[in-house]
């Protein structure tokens, strides 16, 4: 029972369904909004990086909202790069850059959209992670809930329980794959994949010989789907 | 999933609760109490039992300060770092304790005989600085006094003897009375108007008979004769607004929940005040448990809830004990249970211990925590808890003080309630007056009383020879009130017009001995440790603010620091995910607005006029 609405983003009329998120509408219409913590594969958006802020005028009120979780319910006018948005976003990038000085992705975005006059911040030396939480969401939805966001406040970080090699981990690599700043290290050769201090045997399709992830992952998926464990790729199944 | 063949060492703690994720926090707290930490194996076993990931449980354990992954053994020594204890020299007490025990904060001595920690706050503001050793409270401490007490514990003396022979020592937390004995300032008592605190002088606050002798449960009787619609209308007409700080109209909240078709509906009493220097809900829960129960029963009737929860801060042992005893007494008397006062309405109330952190009182974090998940704020522009609240069901969440005022409204009528206070803020507000105020304690005033009356007439001003400087209302994320605003009547809108918030009821008085910059730093450091850490502006903005403030307080302030603080603060206010983050910069921004000179002196001259910061010593040494 969807209802169509037309809103304006940066002067461009955009049609959308009532309740659709602003970010998605903008993207569909070719309007770029920067973000770090949003990923199409993860249905629930944590809205933690705040980079996708935009300015919205609606019902006589103008304010900053986070476009990835802002549902459009009525006609509104959206601007993605007003002075206020640019200024706020530049500060957020400076903050992320200070938190994760090792991240090239953040450094590049900061070069493009940041404000060089913001300086003198304390840095978290050696840090690459921006604590966006995407890896944990990926682990929960696509993996085996092996890691979580631990601590709180300024100490927040990603870790497996008790900082030990996480037993439930299946080496599926979804955490590292969705990470927007490549902060999760792993190594692999043709036999073994190493991540989170655990080693996983790489599995190959018994029929065509194609690599099909780790053996632990194949077993996990089979259990999840209530199927027998078969080392076959999707094509050969 | 049920425990498999593997026999769990921790079985009895797990099986005290049904195997549902919502019981994660209660079990973790029980494990902490029993073992002094949450062991890794217990976490694994609990995950198996509840059928949830161990990673989720570990996240909760590391998030909440009341839980620990490292064993805390021996005597647990807790130094209070609440606002008042901070002003009165908690740092010296901490250093004395560290020296006496030979360990740092957060450590356990090698022989395992002492663990040293700090907590904000112990709820003994009027008596601080305070230190807790196991269950005993030592108040009005000097560093020497603290050392002496700890040495006696080290010598293995019987704690009871130590408590008995130490002035200001109590076997359990000293409680506050409604009327304190400040002979010189009778106004502390006479200017009060008691709607909520009426029961605070009760001989036995748990007794149903005593509560009923003073009109208790008459309001519920009246509500039982009314339709849900009429109950909600009465609350709307009373004009009562939420006392937790935001001031949202309670009637509107109840109406929104009433209008929701989904069942079941829940009612939650928020009793997890986590602000340092705010001690309002604690005394109400301890002293007036039946008023809260009655208020909840009326709310439950209004929305058709059969189950209610009291979310009580972990450190409030006495409040939990009394609330539970009062709930049991109400069940016994047929006031709660399968048929509320014989009406056929069913209502059960349960107490849930909260993690006690500041963020735990935020609506979405609170409901997430009650569902057994991480108490993180959740981004949502359209979902309201009256629609999708606890366990995704329609829920009313009211502050303990708000609920405790409801019975009065139904007993005396909405019009009588409206007659108290101002047009926009009806009824009364409970405050906890502390800091440098001459008279300290809990008090209840009608809205419309001015801040000046509160501080000077009731609080007796500051001590002789000192001069009033500022007032810190509410918690760490509320604004600073300078002298020139003291004639503002206390009310949500009246204060908002002056750019300050009502806050949750803390009122910390500062005098010329207190440094505004250092106070802002104290609050920012508190928030660094208490924020959920989810979004960039709050987590990283606080980190940078803390670093800049440390620098300024150490006499290393640089040109541009104040402008950078303002810029950071504006972005945090604009872009943070929840109300806590959006107001986290308030202690800095509001203080800089009203006390700009003092801030500039710190940065420009490396001078602290209150002599609190170490600026001067360092700048003399040539530090830039």
């Amino acid at each position: 029972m969807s209802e169509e609405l037309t809103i304006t983003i940066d002067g461009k009329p955009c049609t959308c369904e009532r309740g659709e998120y602003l970010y998605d509408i903008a993207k569909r219409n070719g309007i770029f909004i920067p973000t770090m913590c949003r990923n199409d594969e993860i249905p629930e958006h944590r809205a933690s990086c705040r980079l996708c802020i935009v300015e919205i005028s609606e019902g006589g009120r103008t304010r900053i909202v986070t476009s990835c979780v802002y549902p459009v319910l009525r006609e509104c006018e959206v601007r993605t790069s007003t002075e206020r948005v640019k200024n706020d976003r530049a500060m957020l990038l400076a903050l992320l850059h200070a938190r994760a000085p090792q991240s090239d992705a953040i450094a590049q975005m900061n070069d493009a959209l940041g404000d060089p006059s913001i300086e003198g911040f304390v840095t978290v030396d050696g840090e690459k992670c921006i604590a966006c939480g995407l890896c944990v969401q990926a682990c929960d939805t696509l993996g085996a809930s092996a890691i979580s966001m631990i601590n709180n406040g300024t100490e927040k970080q990603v870790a497996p329980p008790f900082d030990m090699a996480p037993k439930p981990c299946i080496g599926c690599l979804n955490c590292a794959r969705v990470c927007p700043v490549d902060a999760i290290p792993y190594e692999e050769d043709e036999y073994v994949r190493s991540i989170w201090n655990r080693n996983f045997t790489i599995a190959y399709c018994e029929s065509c010989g194609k690599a099909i992830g780790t053996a632990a992952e194949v077993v996990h998926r089979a259990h999840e789907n209530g199927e027998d464990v078969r080392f076959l790729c999707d094509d050969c199944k | 999933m049920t425990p498999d063949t593997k026999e769990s060492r921790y079985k009895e703690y797990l099986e005290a609760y049904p195997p549902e994720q919502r019981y994660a926090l209660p079990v973790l707290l029980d494990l902490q109490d029993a073992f002094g930490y949450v062991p890794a194996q217990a976490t694994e076993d609990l995950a198996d039992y509840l059928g949830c990931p161990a990673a989720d449980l570990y996240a909760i354990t590391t998030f909440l300060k009341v839980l620990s992954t490292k064993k805390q053994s021996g005597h647990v020594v807790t130094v209070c770092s609440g606002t008042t204890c901070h002003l009165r020299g908690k740092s010296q007490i901490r250093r004395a304790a560290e020296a006496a025990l030979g360990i740092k904060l957060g450590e356990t001595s090698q022989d395992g005989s002492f663990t040293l920690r700090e907590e904000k706050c112990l709820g003994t503001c009027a008596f601080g600085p305070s230190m807790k050793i196991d269950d005993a409270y030592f108040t009005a401490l000097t560093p020497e006094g603290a050392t002496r007490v700890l040495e006696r514990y080290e010598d293995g003396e019987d704690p009871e003897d130590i408590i008995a022979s130490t002035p200001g020592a109590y076997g359990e937390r000293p409680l506050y009375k409604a009327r304190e004995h400040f002979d010189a300032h009778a106004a502390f008592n006479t200017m009060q108007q008691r709607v909520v605190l009426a029961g605070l002088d009760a001989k036995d606050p748990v007794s149903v008979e005593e509560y009923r002798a003073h009109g208790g449960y008459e309001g519920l009787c009246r509500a039982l004769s009314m339709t849900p619609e009429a109950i909600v209308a009465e609350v709307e007409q009373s004009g009562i607004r939420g006392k937790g700080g935001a001031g949202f109209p309670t009637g509107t909240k109840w109406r929104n929940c009433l209008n929701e078709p989904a069942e079941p509906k829940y009612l939650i009493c928020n009793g997890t005040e986590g602000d340092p220097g705010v001690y309002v809900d604690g005394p109400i829960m301890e002293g007036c448990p039946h008023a809260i129960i009655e208020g909840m029963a009326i709310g439950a009737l209004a929305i058709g809830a059969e189950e209610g929860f009291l979310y009580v801060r972990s450190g409030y042992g006495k409040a939990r004990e009394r609330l539970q005893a009062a709930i049991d007494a109400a069940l016994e008397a047929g006031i709660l249970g399968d048929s509320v006062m014989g009406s056929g309405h069913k209502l059960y109330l349960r107490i849930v211990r909260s993690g006690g952190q500041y963020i735990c009182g935020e609506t979405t974090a609170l409901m997430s925590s009650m569902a057994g998940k991480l108490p993180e704020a959740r981004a949502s522009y359209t979902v309201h808890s009256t629609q999708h609240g606890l366990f995704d069901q329609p829920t009313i969440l009211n502050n303990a003080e708000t609920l405790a005022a409801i019975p009065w409204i139904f007993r005396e009528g909405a019009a009588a309630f409206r007659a108290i206070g101002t047009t926009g803020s009806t009824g009364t507000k409970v405050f906890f007056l502390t800091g440098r105020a001459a008279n300290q304690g809990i008090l209840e005033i009608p809205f419309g009383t001015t801040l000046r009356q509160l501080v000077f007439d009731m609080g007796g001003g500051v001590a002789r020879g000192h001069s009033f400087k500022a007032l810190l209302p509410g918690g760490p994320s509320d604004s600073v009130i300078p002298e020139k605003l003291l004639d503002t009547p206390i009310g949500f809108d009246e204060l908002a017009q002056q750019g300050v918030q009502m806050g949750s009821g803390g009122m910390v008085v500062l005098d010329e001995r207190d440094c505004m910059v250092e106070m802002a730093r104290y609050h920012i450091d508190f928030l660094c440790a208490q924020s959920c850490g989810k979004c960039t502006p709050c987590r990283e903005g606080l980190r940078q603010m803390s670093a800049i403030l440390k620098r300024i307080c150490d006499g290393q302030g640089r040109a541009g620091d104040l402008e950078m603080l303002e810029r950071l603060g504006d972005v945090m206010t604009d872009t943070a995910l929840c109300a806590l983050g959006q107001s986290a910069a308030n202690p800095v921004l509001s203080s800089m607005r009203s006390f700009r000179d003092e801030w500039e002196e710190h940065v420009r001259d490396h001078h602290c006029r209150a002599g609190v910061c170490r600026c001067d010593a360092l700048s003399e040494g040539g530090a830039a």
Side-chain angles (χ1 to χ4, degrees):
Chain A
M1 219 63 74
S2 61
E3 189 187 320
E4 282 221 337
L5 280 172
T6 302
I7 64 168
T8 323
I9 306 180
D10 292 341
K12 180 180 177 181
C14 304
T15 43
C16 62
E17 278 176 24
R18 191 171 181 276
E20 229 185 317
Y21 289 137
L22 258 182
Y23 179 91
D24 298 325
I25 304 165
K27 194 176 175 192
R28 197 175 54 242
N29 285 277
I31 297 164
F32 169 73
I33 298 175
T35 174
M36 276 285 158
C37 74
R38 196 194 170 290
N39 187 307
D40 284 337
E41 289 178 69
I42 312 294
E44 195 185 328
H45 309 310
R46 264 175 78 81
S48 59
C49 78
R50 318 304 283 172
L51 292 172
C52 71
I53 48 167
V54 296
E55 202 170 302
I56 183 169
S57 299
E58 189 179 36
R61 188 156 87 118
T62 297
R63 58 179 174 147
I64 296 280
V65 299
T66 316
S67 65
C68 71
V69 290
Y70 191 83
V72 171
L73 298 177
R74 51 184 167 164
E75 281 173 15
C76 57
E77 195 182 337
V78 179
R79 284 168 303 269
T80 65
S81 49
T82 61
E83 281 310 305
R84 188 173 167 199
V85 168
K86 284 198 281 193
N87 186 41
D88 284 359
R89 190 178 285 145
M91 178 59 82
L92 294 171
L93 281 165
L95 289 170
L96 287 174
H97 188 47
R99 188 226 148 76
Q102 295 302 308
S103 164
D104 294 338
I106 293 292
Q108 280 164 18
M109 197 182 271
N110 190 41
D111 282 346
L113 303 168
D115 174 354
S117 78
I118 305 172
E119 51 182 10
F121 281 171
V122 291
T123 54
V124 183
D125 292 332
E127 185 60 86
K128 202 171 185 185
C129 167
I130 56 168
C132 73
L134 259 183
C135 55
V136 173
Q137 289 183 298
C139 191
D140 281 340
T141 54
L142 309 167
S145 302
I147 53 172
S148 54
M149 303 293 293
I150 70 157
N151 302 335
N152 73 309
T154 45
E155 304 295 312
K156 195 104 170 168
Q157 64 179 92
V158 176
F162 296 92
D163 251 332
M164 299 195 300
K167 276 182 235 161
C169 180
I170 51 174
C172 68
L173 221 54
N174 280 305
C175 54
R177 193 173 51 79
V178 299
C179 178
V181 291
D182 293 327
I184 299 178
Y186 68 94
E187 279 175 19
E188 69 181 349
D189 55 26
E190 49 186 312
Y191 307 107
V192 178
R193 178 182 291 166
S194 305
I195 188 166
W196 294 114
N197 280 322
R198 287 195 53 190
N199 296 322
F200 297 92
T201 310
I202 303 283
Y204 292 92
C205 176
E206 286 172 348
S207 171
C208 71
K210 198 167 85 180
I212 51 170
T214 67
E217 187 184 357
V218 173
V219 172
H220 178 84
R221 304 269 180 246
H223 284 171
E224 238 178 14
N225 301 330
E227 296 165 356
D228 292 336
V229 178
R230 291 192 303 166
F231 288 88
L232 293 172
C233 72
D234 287 341
D235 296 335
C236 299
K237 265 181 190 169
Chain B
M1 221 189 280
T2 48
D4 51 17
T5 48
K6 183 183 62 191
E7 189 69 18
S8 169
R9 237 189 97 194
Y10 306 100
K11 201 172 166 197
E12 59 175 306
Y13 297 95
L14 316 188
E15 292 184 353
Y17 299 90
E20 296 166 37
Q21 185 158 2
R22 63 190 254 199
Y23 298 106
L25 183 55
V27 183
L28 290 171
L29 287 164
D30 285 356
L31 288 166
Q32 176 75 35
D33 288 349
F35 299 97
Y37 73 127
V38 181
Q41 189 56 52
T43 304
E44 297 277 346
D45 293 352
L46 179 59
D48 283 345
Y49 180 67
L50 300 178
C52 70
D56 286 8
L57 300 176
Y58 183 70
I60 296 173
T61 308
T62 54
F63 188 105
L64 296 173
K65 311 283 179 215
V66 290
L67 299 174
S68 168
T69 55
K70 275 187 282 185
K71 192 167 174 63
Q72 302 185 334
S73 63
H75 295 294
V76 177
V77 179
T78 311
V79 178
C80 181
S81 56
T83 319
T84 301
C85 289
H86 174 73
L87 297 176
R88 295 186 188 161
K90 68 114 213 277
S91 305
Q92 285 98 298
I93 305 295
R94 190 197 69 214
R95 281 196 284 275
E98 287 178 337
L101 301 174
I103 50 175
K104 295 268 177 228
L105 217 54
E107 292 179 353
T108 297
S109 56
Q110 287 220 317
D111 63 355
S113 58
F114 287 92
T115 296
L116 183 62
R117 52 190 294 276
E118 66 172 7
E119 189 174 328
K120 301 173 184 190
C121 69
L122 294 177
T124 53
C125 306
F127 315 112
S130 309
M131 173 172 81
K132 192 177 150 198
I133 303 179
D134 303 325
D135 294 325
Y137 287 76
F138 297 85
T139 66
L141 280 172
T142 58
E144 300 74 35
T147 307
R148 225 167 15 248
V149 167
L150 288 167
E151 281 169 358
R152 293 176 69 183
Y153 269 87
E154 282 183 309
D155 290 344
E157 243 187 272
D158 184 349
E160 281 189 29
D161 292 342
I162 305 175
I163 295 162
S165 59
T166 308
Y170 303 85
E172 59 177 31
R173 190 165 44 68
L175 301 181
Y176 295 98
K177 293 186 176 63
R179 290 169 193 273
E180 300 285 347
H181 300 286
F182 301 119
D183 294 336
H185 289 277
F188 186 91
N189 296 329
T190 56
M191 286 177 73
Q192 291 200 43
Q193 178 155 6
R194 303 190 305 168
V195 166
V196 168
L197 296 184
L200 219 58
D201 288 330
K203 273 205 232 43
D204 179 6
V206 164
S207 156
V208 172
E209 291 72 34
E210 189 172 348
Y211 183 62
R212 291 191 99 149
H214 297 96
Y217 290 115
E218 281 175 20
L220 177 59
C221 278
R222 188 174 153 234
L224 281 166
S225 69
M226 298 161 75
T227 61
E229 169 59 39
I231 295 175
V232 171
E234 185 83 4
V235 176
E236 283 173 334
Q237 279 155 23
S238 76
I240 186 170
R241 293 168 69 171
K243 310 288 181 69
F248 190 81
T250 307
T252 309
K253 199 181 261 187
W254 288 24
R255 160 99 40 216
N256 291 342
C257 196
L258 171 66
N259 288 343
E260 284 301 320
E263 304 266 354
K265 295 179 183 179
Y266 298 108
L267 186 83
I268 306 172
C269 165
N270 188 351
T272 184
E273 59 187 348
D275 334 28
V278 182
Y279 191 59
V280 166
D281 294 338
I284 294 173
M285 291 187 288
E286 285 162 358
C288 323
H290 282 292
I292 294 174
I293 294 170
E294 187 179 356
M296 289 184 78
I298 294 170
L301 284 178
I303 59 166
E306 294 185 343
E307 204 174 358
F309 299 93
L310 295 106
Y311 191 65
V312 184
R313 182 173 166 180
S314 198
Y316 285 176
K318 193 78 186 175
R320 285 204 313 276
E321 189 185 302
R322 292 228 176 129
L323 282 167
Q324 190 58 58
I327 290 169
D328 293 344
L331 279 166
E332 181 83 7
I335 293 163
L336 295 174
D338 285 332
S339 178
V340 171
M341 297 180 110
S343 65
H345 292 283
K346 183 174 154 187
L347 179 62
Y348 284 90
L349 299 181
R350 292 176 223 288
I351 296 172
V352 178
R353 282 165 79 183
S354 92
Q357 242 137 286
Y358 190 50
I359 185 68
C360 296
E362 195 276 336
T363 305
T364 56
L366 180 150
M367 290 182 187
S368 174
S369 180
M370 283 188 70
K373 295 176 186 151
L374 211 52
E376 273 187 346
R378 197 162 57 108
S380 172
Y381 286 102
T382 47
V383 177
H384 300 291
S385 57
T386 46
Q387 189 182 9
H388 294 284
L390 184 64
F391 312 133
D392 213 26
Q393 294 299 120
T395 304
I396 289 182
L397 172 66
N398 282 145
N399 174 265
E401 185 188 343
T402 313
L403 287 165
I406 297 290
W408 197 97
I409 295 172
F410 281 79
R411 196 170 66 238
E412 311 288 337
F417 191 81
R418 261 207 115 87
I420 310 171
T422 66
T423 320
S425 305
T426 58
T428 61
K429 176 79 190 93
V430 177
F431 285 104
F432 193 81
L433 192 61
T434 180
R436 303 289 189 182
N439 304 333
Q440 310 214 348
I442 187 165
L443 47 81
E444 182 175 3
I445 46 115
F447 279 114
T449 307
T450 66
L451 291 164
R452 192 179 299 281
Q453 286 173 313
L454 181 73
V455 174
F456 285 93
D457 297 345
M458 304 181 80
V462 294
R464 195 189 302 272
H466 295 285
S467 56
F468 174 89
K469 187 172 198 173
L471 190 58
L472 306 177
S477 49
D478 291 311
S479 305
V480 177
I481 298 177
E483 211 273 339
K484 66 173 185 197
L485 293 183
L486 284 188
D487 291 312
T488 312
I490 296 170
F492 294 102
D493 310 323
E494 291 83 348
L495 288 169
Q497 272 163 24
Q498 303 296 338
V500 293
Q501 304 80 27
M502 167 77 71
S504 48
M507 277 288 170
V508 179
V509 176
L510 304 183
D511 68 21
E512 87 291 345
R513 287 170 286 182
D514 306 314
C515 169
M516 298 313 292
V517 181
E518 202 275 339
M519 207 61 231
R521 179 193 172 190
Y522 167 78
H523 280 146
I524 292 299
D525 285 351
F526 171 84
L527 292 167
C528 280
Q530 300 276 320
S531 142
C532 79
K534 185 175 183 175
C535 74
T536 306
C538 186
R539 183 188 64 239
E540 303 304 331
L542 284 170
R543 184 199 309 279
Q544 298 303 339
M545 275 195 161
S546 170
I548 296 172
L549 290 165
K550 176 176 191 306
R551 191 160 75 212
I552 297 176
C553 288
D554 284 349
Q556 314 262 339
R558 304 173 197 154
D561 274 351
L562 301 189
E563 292 70 23
M564 185 55 86
L565 284 172
E566 280 171 330
R567 214 171 151 186
L568 272 167
D570 289 343
V571 175
M572 288 160 71
T573 309
D574 246 6
T575 65
L577 189 151
C578 78
L580 183 148
Q582 288 155 16
S583 58
N586 269 345
V588 172
L589 296 178
S590 68
S591 176
M592 279 169 68
R593 270 197 303 274
S594 302
F595 297 91
R596 188 81 188 189
D597 289 353
E598 208 173 319
W599 283 78
E600 283 178 353
E601 279 166 17
H602 276 77
V603 175
R604 190 185 54 227
D605 311 329
H606 304 295
H607 172 63
C608 173
R609 64 170 81 170
V612 173
C613 299
R614 296 182 298 145
C615 301
D616 304 281
L618 281 173
S619 57
E620 278 161 25

